[in-house]
């Protein structure tokens, strides 16, 4: 029977892409494996996955997708955190996962189950089927260290992180303002906090953790984790830095011709002159904020390529559905598109981010600090302005700015609004200041380090070979 590795991502498109890249990386160096990916249909918008899955199926025959039965969430679950829905969905999914892996085991020897952080309930499935279960952590080592440390922080105070109003001292990290911890865990009394705490408690109980990072990007965080400073009351499992894993192709495959348009436009711009603004598959701004960004960009005088999505729906029943195509004339200041047409391009909803970041005309990136996007910018050698919106992105901003020196921070007012003056200042600083130049030099250094980590004998390749060895000896 052939040896198989089962990958179990959470439904979000970004998490699926990272998981597929892990599968491809394993196959590139160990082609005797087959990769089976479990797909959970979400009852809410997690980004369109169909075209992407079809493309991977058509190009990589050793990766097969197993679509699990749909699950209806209980009607009484309501939360403004989509993470609550994800945790509940994946908890209810355990019987489907058990059935799928048992079925795969009829024709393959399953060497490992590798699951997303959100899929932690499936640890028990691995135990039942006597298959070693690993986590694939799709954020960085700093974020992993903070989640390892969360049970200790939980026991150290009765207050919510949002009310602590102090810096948190987490091993291997710069001081983290308590309000900059991951958004879903700021309020201690919410169900989503309890879910993340449970997941953090389960992390060390796995056979090991694979992190999408490379050692020289996060040396201090990795040292603290490997020396056992982050898990305070039990042994730390093996942690394998196997990254950066990024998709070489485009995100969802849903293209309306906008990608060719924006690449043609970039071809006509001077080298490293364009600021690219793009905020991930779930990054949405209010109309007021979009207008403020437009004013800041216009005043900055910088060349820009900006991906604009429609604002979030005010209708609560639609909050987890994909937004409609944006009406740029309605959303942006009157005459903005005409006045900036010689140096700016606004693209509706989507652009091929990896291709754009690697284009010679792009010299800066305003990002929501999602970890995939951060790694994509590092691998392209593009410095960043960090503008976090949701999930663990505020935490990532602190690390990217204070620890890694890969980004300048976008500063928002207390209610989260960013003024045009701040947009103008940060974009200009990034493209044309000593501070921006320092970030640019560091990003280029890390680009070279990423290439070294992924090359033969590099740290990420060595980590992969040790991991595979542990599977095949078992």
């Amino acid at each position: 029977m052939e040896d198989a590795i089962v990958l179990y991502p959470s439904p979000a498109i970004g998490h699926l892409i990272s998981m597929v890249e892990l599968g491809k990386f394993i196959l590139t160096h160990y082609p005797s494996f087959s990769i089976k990916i479990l797909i959970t249909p979400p009852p809410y918008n997690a980004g369109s996955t169909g075209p992407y899955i079809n493309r991977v199926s058509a190009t990589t025959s050793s990766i097969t997708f197993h679509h699990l039965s749909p699950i209806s969430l209980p009607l009484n679950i309501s939360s403004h955190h989509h993470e609550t829905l994800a945790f509940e969905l994946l908890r209810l999914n355990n019987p489907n996962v058990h059935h799928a892996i048992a079925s795969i085991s009829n024709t393959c020897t399953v060497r490992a189950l590798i699951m997303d952080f959100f899929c932690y309930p499936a640890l028990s499935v691995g135990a039942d089927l006597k298959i070693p279960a690993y986590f694939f952590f799709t954020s960085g080592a700093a974020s992993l260290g903070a989640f390892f440390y969360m049970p200790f922080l939980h026991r150290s105070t009765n207050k919510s992180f949002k009310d602590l109003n102090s810096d948190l001292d987490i091993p291997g990290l710069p001081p983290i303002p308590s309000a900059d911890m991951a958004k879903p865990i700021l309020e201690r009394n919410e169900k989503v906090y309890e879910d993340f705490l449970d997941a953090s408690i389960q992390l060390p109980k796995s056979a090991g953790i694979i992190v999408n990072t490379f050692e020289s990007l996060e040396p201090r965080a990795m040292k603290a984790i490997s020396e056992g400073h982050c898990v305070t009351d039990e042994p730390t499992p093996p942690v394998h830095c196997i990254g950066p894993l990024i998709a070489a192709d485009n995100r969802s495959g849903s293209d309306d011709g906008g990608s060719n348009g924006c690449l043609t436009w970039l071809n006509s711009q001077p080298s490293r002159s364009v600021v690219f603004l793009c905020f991930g598959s779930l990054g949405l701004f209010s109309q007021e904020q979009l207008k403020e960004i437009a004013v800041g960009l216009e005043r900055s005088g910088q060349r820009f390529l900006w991906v604009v999505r429609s604002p979030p729906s005010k209708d609560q029943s639609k909050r987890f559905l994909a937004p409609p195509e944006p009406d740029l004339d309605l959303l942006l200041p009157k005459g903005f598109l005409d006045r900036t047409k010689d140096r700016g391009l606004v693209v509706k909803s989507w652009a091929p981010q990896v291709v754009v970041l690697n284009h010679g005309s792009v010299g800066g990136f305003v990002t929501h600090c999602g970890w995939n996007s951060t790694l994509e910018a590092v691998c392209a050698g593009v410095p960043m302005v960090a503008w976090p919106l949701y999930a663990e992105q505020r935490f990532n901003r602190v690390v990217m700015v204070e620890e890694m020196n890969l980004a300048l921070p976008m500063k928002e007012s207390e209610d989260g609004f960013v003024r045009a003056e701040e947009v103008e200042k940060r974009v200009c600083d990034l493209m044309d200041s000593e501070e921006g130049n320092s970030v640019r030099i560091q990003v280029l250094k890390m680009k070279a380090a990423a290439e070294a980590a992924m090359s033969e004998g590099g740290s990420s390749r060595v980590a992969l070979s040790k991991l595979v060895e542990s599977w095949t000896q078992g």
Side-chain angles (χ1 to χ4, degrees), residues 195-397:
D195 287 328
F196 272 98
L197 181 62
D198 278 352
S200 298
I201 290 166
Q202 296 304 318
L203 272 177
K205 302 185 190 327
S206 61
I209 297 169
I210 301 160
V211 194
N212 189 8
T213 190
F214 53 103
E215 285 179 13
S216 51
L217 181 65
E218 305 186 78
R220 218 159 64 89
M222 273 312 300
K223 184 170 189 284
I225 290 170
S226 59
E227 290 178 354
H229 300 310
C230 297
V231 181
T232 57
D233 45 8
E234 59 187 305
T236 302
V239 174
H240 312 271
C241 293
I242 298 178
L245 299 170
I246 58 169
D249 53 8
N250 301 338
R251 297 233 148 201
S252 63
S254 55
D255 188 18
D256 55 3
S259 85
N260 289 340
C262 75
L263 296 175
T264 304
W265 181 82
L266 282 171
N267 290 340
S268 66
Q269 305 306 311
S271 172
R272 303 284 170 226
S273 68
V274 175
V275 180
F276 177 45
L277 298 92
C278 190
F279 299 93
S281 51
L282 299 173
L284 306 178
F285 291 112
S286 67
Q287 184 169 350
E288 296 74 18
Q289 184 65 82
L290 288 171
K291 286 189 164 156
E292 209 75 12
I293 296 170
V295 171
L297 285 176
E298 187 171 354
R299 283 191 200 149
S300 76
Q302 299 290 340
R303 295 171 192 272
F304 64 86
L305 171 61
W306 179 19
V307 180
V308 171
R309 297 176 186 278
S310 290
S313 172
K314 292 194 169 112
D315 177 347
Q316 281 298 291
S317 68
K318 294 182 179 168
R319 70 194 188 284
F320 296 120
L321 299 176
E325 182 168 291
D327 180 340
L328 299 181
D329 291 326
L330 187 70
L331 293 173
L332 303 177
K334 199 170 182 207
F336 168 78
L337 294 170
D338 278 341
R339 291 192 302 274
T340 58
K341 68 177 188 293
D342 292 338
R343 61 177 175 82
L345 181 68
V346 177
V347 178
K348 293 180 182 183
S349 302
W350 183 85
Q353 183 165 293
V354 175
V355 180
V356 169
L357 285 170
N358 283 281
H359 195 284
S361 296
V362 173
F365 181 30
V366 182
T367 173
H368 63 310
C369 310
W371 190 246
N372 282 354
S373 293
T374 301
L375 290 179
E376 287 164 7
V378 167
C379 291
V382 176
M384 290 166 272
V385 171
W387 186 345
L389 300 175
Y390 54 92
E392 87 290 16
Q393 293 161 8
R394 284 175 71 105
F395 173 93
N396 286 349
R397 172 174 60 185

